[in-house]
Amino acid sequence: MTADEIRGTAQGTAPTPLSVLDLVTVGAGHTATEALRTSVELSRLAESRGFHRYWVAEHHSMPGVASSSPAVILAHLAAHTNRIRLGSGGVMLPNHAPLVIAEQFGTLEAMAPGRIDLGLGRAPGTDGATAAALRRTDRLNEGADDFPEQLAELNRFLDDDFPDGHPYRRIHAVPGPVQATSPGGVQSPHRPPVWLLGSSGFSARLAAVLGLPFAFAHHFSAQNTIPALDLYRESFQPSAVLDEPYAVIGVSALATEDEKEARRQVMAGALNMIRLRTGRPGLVPTPEEAEAYEFSPMEREFIGSWNSNIIHGTADEVRAGLDDLQKRTGADELMLTSHAHDGALRVRSYELIADAYGLPTAA
């Protein structure tokens, strides 16, 4: 497969493909039901305006993030869209048995043929105690250290090609290739492509060695972005999956009609992050709550660093920031995640960005 095939045919006219990363955020005073309705609305907007793909990220035990079950959410979004690629950004593989993931994404592929991406990460997507509850073990490093082996096992299930003598030789992920070998079976032409996600050099190097597309979490690890992408490109080995490097970066971006409103929303998001990082996760606060909050000097220092990596302001300002970031990193695709207390404002942000790039509205 070529990088152009991974990139696909974009409907829009942006110089670099634009995509969406959705955390299904829940603001104070709102419910998870409302957040999921916003995700449906946003996925439809993304499809109609030419965004390339729409990914959902796995998180756990965070009241303000309702994306604990990416496969369930993706099935829901598949029923409300027709063309846009849908995927995980990502599924945290150490939290799950590889066979379960192969079954879930084989099912999604059967629901939306040719539209499913399987993005995988090795972090827990939560705190240590929650990870232990998910994995039924307190040996959490074991899962991360075994990630390459888990990935290999998952790929074997997706391809149904365990060798003779392997204990899993007679175990099959269904839906999957085994159905084509059954009497009357027909081979599906599609198989969910695997992406590796990361925020450091580990996954960058592994993706390069395996010849896989790579997605880097610039939105919360900006200082590592260029080193990780350089490592990925320098170490890349062509494979049956991909003939040259293909790198996506996740970017926090929020556009509003008024620059001041963008700053208000970003401050509310920063307060939410402070609470998360100090063991007090909650719903995304309102801008009014953030304005009334008395930040300590240490918290203000954190906010300055955190907000400097969020591209926010008017649509034109956001476009300029995105274009500059793409030039600095050489990213093949920008995956935008917008954080705001109000779901309607998040949807409007993507609409404004699409307008700034001149992305047409599909018929």
Side-chain angles (χ1 to χ4, degrees):
M1 182 178 293
T2 66
D4 284 343
E5 288 171 322
I6 285 284
R7 185 180 292 109
T9 302
Q11 300 174 43
T13 57
T16 301
L18 301 178
S19 294
V20 177
L21 176 62
D22 186 8
L23 305 189
V24 195
T25 50
V26 185
H30 297 280
T31 66
T33 298
E34 292 172 297
L36 289 164
R37 286 174 181 162
T38 295
S39 292
V40 170
E41 182 181 358
L42 181 53
S43 67
R44 287 172 166 169
L45 172 73
E47 181 171 80
S48 70
R49 296 304 303 271
F51 286 83
H52 188 40
R53 62 186 97 236
Y54 192 107
W55 281 6
V56 179
E58 177 184 346
H59 292 83
H60 298 278
S61 198
M62 299 179 188
V65 179
S67 58
S68 58
S69 302
V72 176
I73 297 171
L74 292 172
H76 186 56
L77 298 180
H80 288 87
T81 56
N82 298 298
R83 299 179 307 277
I84 194 168
R85 294 198 66 87
L86 302 169
S88 56
V91 164
M92 301 297 109
L93 182 54
N95 293 343
H96 312 278
L99 175 57
V100 171
I101 300 304
E103 291 175 334
Q104 289 178 348
F105 278 77
T107 301
L108 286 167
E109 183 61 51
M111 290 177 173
R115 291 206 288 142
I116 301 300
D117 296 326
L118 174 50
L120 301 166
R122 69 186 187 108
T126 188
D127 60 274
T130 306
L134 284 165
R135 303 176 188 181
R136 307 298 296 172
T137 179
D138 57 3
R139 293 177 293 178
L140 300 182
N141 288 335
E142 186 177 277
D145 293 342
D146 291 346
F147 183 78
E149 289 75 18
Q150 293 173 321
L151 175 61
E153 182 179 309
L154 172 59
N155 276 313
R156 290 287 191 183
F157 277 123
L158 289 171
D159 292 327
D160 198 50
D161 66 350
F162 283 101
D164 290 339
H166 193 283
Y168 295 163
R169 181 67 184 88
R170 296 183 179 275
I171 299 174
H172 311 286
V174 178
V178 67
Q179 292 168 311
T181 64
S182 302
V186 178
Q187 178 66 54
S188 170
H190 303 292
R191 187 266 216 193
V194 169
W195 293 64
L196 291 194
L197 281 61
S199 58
S200 66
F202 180 92
S203 292
R205 185 182 297 277
L206 183 59
V209 169
L210 297 178
L212 295 175
F214 178 55
F216 187 82
H218 173 83
H219 53 297
F220 63 81
S221 188
Q223 71 277 10
N224 292 324
T225 302
I226 291 178
L229 294 186
D230 286 346
L231 177 61
Y232 171 62
R233 291 166 180 142
E234 292 165 1
S235 307
F236 185 84
Q237 299 178 22
S239 69
V241 175
L242 192 61
D243 63 349
E244 61 186 45
Y246 190 87
V248 172
I249 59 173
V251 186
S252 287
L254 183 70
T256 60
E257 280 91 349
D258 176 30
E259 182 182 355
K260 181 180 179 181
E261 182 59 28
R263 290 197 300 270
R264 293 178 72 241
Q265 295 291 337
V266 165
M267 285 299 291
L271 175 57
N272 185 55
M273 185 55 60
I274 287 172
R275 289 171 173 171
L276 175 63
R277 294 203 169 189
T278 54
R280 300 171 292 148
L283 301 175
V284 179
T286 65
E288 292 76 18
E289 185 178 354
E291 288 172 340
Y293 183 85
E294 294 186 10
F295 293 94
S296 70
M298 184 176 296
E299 288 173 336
R300 290 197 174 278
E301 183 178 351
F302 169 81
I303 287 172
S305 175
W306 181 259
N307 287 353
S308 67
N309 293 314
I310 302 175
I311 300 174
H312 61 286
T314 64
D316 288 341
E317 289 172 331
V318 170
R319 173 172 180 167
L322 293 174
D323 288 346
D324 177 69
L325 178 63
Q326 191 281 325
K327 289 176 183 176
R328 287 190 289 111
T329 62
D332 297 292
E333 186 175 328
L334 301 177
M335 182 165 282
L336 313 183
T337 182
S338 293
H339 301 287
H341 167 264
D342 184 74
L345 195 147
R346 290 179 57 231
V347 173
R348 180 59 176 156
S349 174
Y350 287 98
E351 188 174 37
L352 289 170
I353 292 170
D355 288 344
Y357 278 100
L359 302 184
T361 300

